[in-house]
Amino acid sequence: QVQLVESGGNSVQAGGSLRLSCAASGYVTCMGWFRQAPGKEREGVAVIGTTSRVTYATSVRGRFTISKVNSNNWYLQMNSLKTEDTAMYYCAAGRSYCSGDVLPSRTAFGFWGQGTQVTVSS
């Protein structure tokens, strides 16, 4: 079992930036970020595939960047934050192949962090 620990959530004003980090206790081959706002479904935000290809949700493309430090650590740089980005953010990982061409569904990830809150105020 791989444990994931997120960090970096905070409260910021619209237009600001935050960096979320995720540390895994073991190697993983598919790394991603999801978010869940109150009353909404958990949605995929970004993924780094096994060959390091990346894909983003349309709503964050051009503002968020997912990067891999090594096979155990990755982060999500969030710029130009909007109030609609307010959510609990979860890092997710798996040991199966993922292409990174599309955002995988939640079921593709076997390991999840506990979540870190991001609140963006106007």
Side-chain angles (χ1 to χ4, degrees), residues 12-58:
V12 296
Q13 290 195 321
S17 298
L18 283 175
R19 175 177 286 196
L20 306 182
S21 297
C22 187
S25 61
Y27 83 92
V28 291
T29 57
C30 186
M31 307 167 179
W33 289 94
F34 284 70
R35 67 185 181 186
Q36 188 167 17
K40 294 189 175 182
E41 294 286 319
R42 190 172 298 189
E43 62 175 357
V45 175
V47 65
I48 297 180
T50 304
T51 58
S52 298
R53 292 178 66 90
V54 298
T55 296
Y56 300 93
T58 302

Side-chain angles (χ1 to χ4, degrees), residues 48-117:
I48 297 180
T50 304
T51 58
S52 298
R53 292 178 66 90
V54 298
T55 296
Y56 300 93
T58 302
S59 59
V60 307
R61 194 171 295 134
R63 301 186 297 120
F64 290 11
T65 302
I66 187 171
S67 299
K68 179 172 64 175
V69 178
N70 50 39
S71 61
N72 301 74
N73 295 274
W74 61 102
Y75 61 89
L76 183 70
Q77 179 66 42
M78 306 186 294
N79 298 328
S80 303
L81 282 161
K82 304 176 180 180
T83 55
E84 53 262 44
D85 293 319
T86 295
M88 185 72 77
Y89 283 71
Y90 299 89
C91 65
R95 284 182 167 170
S96 300
Y97 173 84
C98 67
S99 67
D101 291 334
V102 295
L103 283 174
S105 67
R106 291 176 57 180
T107 58
F109 297 92
F111 311 117
W112 291 84
Q114 78 287 353
T116 187
Q117 179 67 38

